[in-house]
Amino acid sequence: MASKSDKSPPAKKQKLLDDVPSKSDTKSGSSLIKELKEKRNKTAASILQFKFNKNRVRILSEAKDVPDRAEGIVYWMFRDERVQDNWALLFAQKLALKNKIPLHVCFCLKPRFMEATIRHYKFLLKGLEEVAEDCKKLNIQFNFLIGDGERVLPGFVEKNSIGAVVVDFMPLKGPMSWAEQLKKTLPKDVPLCQVDAHNIVPCWIASDKQEYGARTIRNKINNKLKEYLTEFPPVIKHTYGTVKDEVIDWEGGEKTLEVDRSVEPVKWLTPGYSGAIQMLDSFINKRLKKFATKRNDPVVDALSNLSPYFHFGQISVQRAILTVREHRSKCPESVDAFCEEAIIRRELADNFCFYNKNYDNINGSFDWAKKTLNDHRKDKREYIYTKEELENAKTHDDLWNSAELQLLKEGKIHGFLRMYWAKKILEWTTSPEEALEISIYLNDKYSMDGRDPNGFVGCMWSICGIHDQGWAERNVFGKIRYMNYAGCKRKFDVAAFVARYGGKSYPYKKSK
């Protein structure tokens, strides 16, 4: 906890972010885009000449084959919003080429999605503009539909005589239910295929059960990387059908949104595939060498900053891993650490949400955690804050307030501090249930990578001990891992971080 004795001398005010891509990054990113294009072209002429791993696909419908009457294939894009390095789109093109019919990509703009705000939707829509342009160049019809996909897509399928629907995989309850609802309303002879284009090893292949932690899933994934961590073939210019030259009303689509418009877009991220490649390139050239030793230091610019792009699917995790691994001879520890986080930890989060439908509440935690949190449910809390006080960074702890301000301004909290941030919410609220609800709400509303398995698991790890173990018992936390202000001071320059984001220490006013 912050106290007067904890305070260090005032630190010099610093820039909010040092990782905004510069003009040189943009030029370098363009070179990397060309390099990656050459790699795909050398891998195969098209998906038809590539040995596609069928285990990436689950057929959800009773229908298994494209009917003879088919006049097109559609890929319903929602989690993986990119053209190249996308196994779902590649599979859809494979079906279309084999059947010699046109290929469509549909994005269905939902009026709301969980706690997503205009901050997230503007990033998403700008990225989709690039997707639409890429599709047009490749003679793939991009369709921008307004409404819930499970409701508007059946009409599109019927109108265009679609012979198969390919959908993304996302293990959250909402997206999983979309596919189930769509399956019920599609024509009986139209196959519904789900492709995991997000994980390197498909979630249902990596494990057939909920894994206890990283140590139990690590070897399962690593043993399959030789089979799944391959280069991608290109999505090629489609040879069937002609793209309609239609103007997409992006502004009109944005106006249909029923979201909070008070949360301003972030300025440090450039939306879309090109922006993602620029960020990957700047990470490799500027920050990768520091990643192994400095990634847990919030005042050092050592992170990849790729998480928002991973969340929106604007770059493939697999592509990022393939590219970063080329630099292992120069910085092996950093490359290995990045692979651990981007592969093992990320795919572990998908595993948890896929096999545990209580991934967002206390019932999803292990028995030892439920017991210890319940045992300490009535412990006296020195501080208790409301959701509004926490959201507005009005606590006694200047470090916590600075982390919250980073979230409000930049749409992110440094990974190390995100743990501290969530654990303090447990300490400063009336129950574990309230703590989990508030932490998920704030993360989903403000973070650029919120509303994601990683976000749910991060909150569940911090508050409910998921993928962790029991620690020394203490007040409120029980056996859940504890973090405090003094520990942060031993880890990094707290005063410098506070100076950067301007968090203040407010006098505590006990509620009546």
Side-chain angles (χ1 to χ4, degrees):
M1 295 167 197
S3 65
K4 290 184 179 179
S5 60
D6 287 330
K7 304 291 184 182
S8 301
K12 184 179 179 182
K13 196 87 171 180
Q14 300 180 40
K15 293 180 181 179
L16 289 183
L17 275 172
D18 300 319
D19 47 32
V20 178
S22 63
K23 289 183 179 179
S24 61
D25 291 330
T26 303
K27 185 177 180 180
S28 184
S30 299
S31 299
L32 182 56
I33 288 174
K34 292 178 182 177
E35 180 184 320
L36 297 180
K37 183 178 180 180
E38 291 173 1
K39 287 180 182 292
R40 295 185 201 102
N41 290 337
K42 288 180 180 177
T43 299
S46 77
I47 187 63
L48 290 181
Q49 285 75 45
F50 182 83
K51 189 177 180 181
F52 180 82
N53 194 321
K54 294 180 180 179
N55 288 329
R56 296 188 187 277
V57 184
R58 297 195 306 167
I59 301 179
L60 304 180
S61 58
E62 291 185 13
K64 308 297 181 186
D65 300 310
V66 177
D68 292 338
R69 65 172 181 81
E71 296 178 13
I73 302 293
V74 66
Y75 163 42
W76 177 15
M77 173 186 287
F78 57 79
R79 191 186 194 190
D80 291 285
E81 297 151 20
R82 63 185 180 277
V83 172
Q84 298 297 343
D85 303 337
N86 185 335
W87 292 120
L89 182 50
L90 283 162
F91 179 70
Q93 184 165 61
K94 179 180 181 181
L95 293 179
L97 290 173
K98 285 181 70 175
N99 289 277
K100 300 180 180 180
I101 52 181
L103 174 60
H104 298 261
V105 171
C106 277
F107 188 91
C108 305
L109 187 68
K110 300 179 78 67
R112 70 183 74 83
F113 179 60
M114 301 171 68
E115 296 293 340
T117 67
I118 199 66
R119 165 181 288 178
H120 309 106
Y121 272 99
K122 278 188 175 292
F123 188 82
L124 178 154
L125 289 170
K126 204 65 182 175
L128 283 177
E129 288 186 34
E130 187 173 356
V131 169
E133 283 298 314
D134 289 345
C135 284
K136 186 176 181 180
K137 293 173 185 175
L138 295 173
N139 196 40
I140 298 169
Q141 186 70 52
F142 180 84
N143 304 273
F144 186 56
L145 306 182
I146 305 298
D148 297 329
E150 64 275 25
R151 292 186 176 90
V152 301
L153 210 56
F156 178 89
V157 168
E158 184 177 352
K159 180 181 178 182
N160 293 277
S161 299
I162 296 298
V165 179
V166 179
V167 299
D168 283 332
F169 166 77
M170 189 176 191
L172 301 186
K173 285 175 275 193
M176 293 296 285
S177 72
W178 304 342
E180 285 301 310
Q181 291 179 55
L182 184 60
K183 181 173 69 173
K184 296 174 184 177
T185 53
L186 285 178
K188 298 298 182 184
D189 62 343
V190 174
L192 177 61
C193 308
Q194 188 172 63
V195 180
D196 188 350
H198 211 77
N199 296 298
I200 296 174
V201 180
C203 190
W204 50 81
I205 297 295
S207 177
D208 60 2
K209 64 180 181 180
Q210 179 186 330
E211 293 294 335
Y212 190 85
R215 63 180 174 80
T216 65
I217 201 173
R218 187 176 290 110
N219 285 341
K220 291 182 178 182
I221 291 175
N222 284 336
N223 290 340
K224 295 178 176 70
L225 289 182
K226 186 176 180 180
E227 178 181 355
Y228 289 95
L229 185 53
T230 66
E231 183 54 72
F232 293 88
V235 174
I236 63 167
K237 187 167 185 176
H238 205 68
T239 49
Y240 303 98
T242 303
V243 169
K244 299 175 185 176
D245 192 15
E246 298 176 339
V247 177
I248 297 174
D249 187 3
W250 300 106
E251 290 186 9
E254 185 180 311
K255 289 177 181 177
T256 68
L257 298 174
E258 301 168 7
V259 299
D260 186 338
R261 296 176 184 270
S262 66
V263 183
E264 296 182 356
V266 299
K267 298 177 180 179
W268 64 279
L269 285 170
T270 301
Y273 173 75
S274 297
I277 294 297
Q278 288 174 26
M279 189 64 80
L280 172 62
D281 196 62
S282 69
F283 171 54
I284 290 170
N285 291 317
K286 296 181 179 180
R287 304 187 295 280
L288 179 59
K289 60 188 176 184
K290 298 181 284 186
F291 189 79
T293 57
K294 295 296 183 180
R295 69 184 182 279
N296 286 329
D297 189 334
V299 299
V300 176
D301 188 17
L303 301 183
S304 75
N305 296 311
L306 289 169
S307 186
Y309 296 109
F310 289 160
H311 167 72
F312 285 97
Q314 294 178 355
I315 189 174
S316 160
V317 177
Q318 185 159 336
R319 171 57 66 199
I321 293 296
L322 288 170
T323 309
V324 168
R325 289 209 320 179
E326 293 177 4
H327 301 266
R328 195 175 185 281
S329 61
K330 297 177 182 177
C331 39
E333 294 85 4
S334 286
V335 171
D336 290 348
F338 179 74
C339 290
E340 170 71 16
E341 291 193 5
I343 304 175
I344 306 303
R345 302 289 173 167
R346 186 171 293 276
E347 300 200 4
L348 177 64
D350 264 33
N351 168 273
F352 178 70
C353 292
F354 186 52
Y355 290 110
N356 189 331
K357 301 313 173 189
N358 290 309
Y359 59 76
D360 56 355
N361 64 76
I362 300 294
N363 292 327
S365 55
F366 296 120
D367 288 342
W368 71 264
K370 283 187 277 194
K371 182 180 186 304
T372 197
L373 287 170
N374 202 49
D375 288 346
H376 291 269
R377 181 176 297 277
K378 296 181 180 179
D379 288 358
K380 183 179 178 181
R381 271 84 167 156
E382 186 176 357
Y383 303 96
I384 294 181
Y385 292 106
T386 64
K387 182 168 75 171
E388 291 71 25
E389 288 172 319
L390 293 166
E391 187 167 7
N392 293 308
K394 299 290 186 183
T395 79
H396 66 285
D397 184 331
D398 59 353
L399 174 58
W400 192 94
N401 293 341
S402 295
E404 175 68 9
L405 288 172
Q406 183 185 24
L407 178 63
L408 298 180
K409 295 173 183 176
E410 297 177 358
K412 65 175 283 186
I413 300 179
H414 186 280
F416 179 82
L417 274 179
R418 190 181 285 197
M419 298 184 289
Y420 176 80
W421 172 85
K423 286 182 176 294
K424 288 302 166 187
I425 296 176
L426 171 61
E427 187 175 343
W428 300 337
T429 49
T430 59
S431 69
E433 289 82 3
E434 184 186 24
L436 190 59
E437 180 185 344
I438 291 175
S439 63
I440 290 173
Y441 163 78
L442 293 175
N443 188 62
D444 284 357
K445 181 177 179 180
Y446 294 103
S447 181
M448 290 302 295
D449 63 359
R451 309 153 311 284
D452 190 275
N454 281 282
F456 287 109
V457 167
C459 292
M460 290 287 283
W461 180 89
S462 299
I463 294 169
C464 303
I466 285 298
H467 302 150
D468 203 3
Q469 62 186 31
W471 295 76
E473 201 158 3
R474 62 173 64 241
N475 190 57
V476 180
F477 285 81
K479 295 180 181 179
I480 301 297
R481 186 193 297 253
Y482 179 70
M483 292 178 73
N484 65 5
Y485 194 100
C488 290
K489 288 183 71 175
R490 291 191 293 270
K491 286 274 188 180
F492 64 92
D493 189 345
V494 167
F497 185 84
V498 170
R500 178 178 293 183
Y501 292 98
K504 298 177 182 178
S505 180
Y506 293 89
Y508 177 63
K509 296 180 181 179
K510 189 174 183 179
S511 300
K512 294 182 180 180

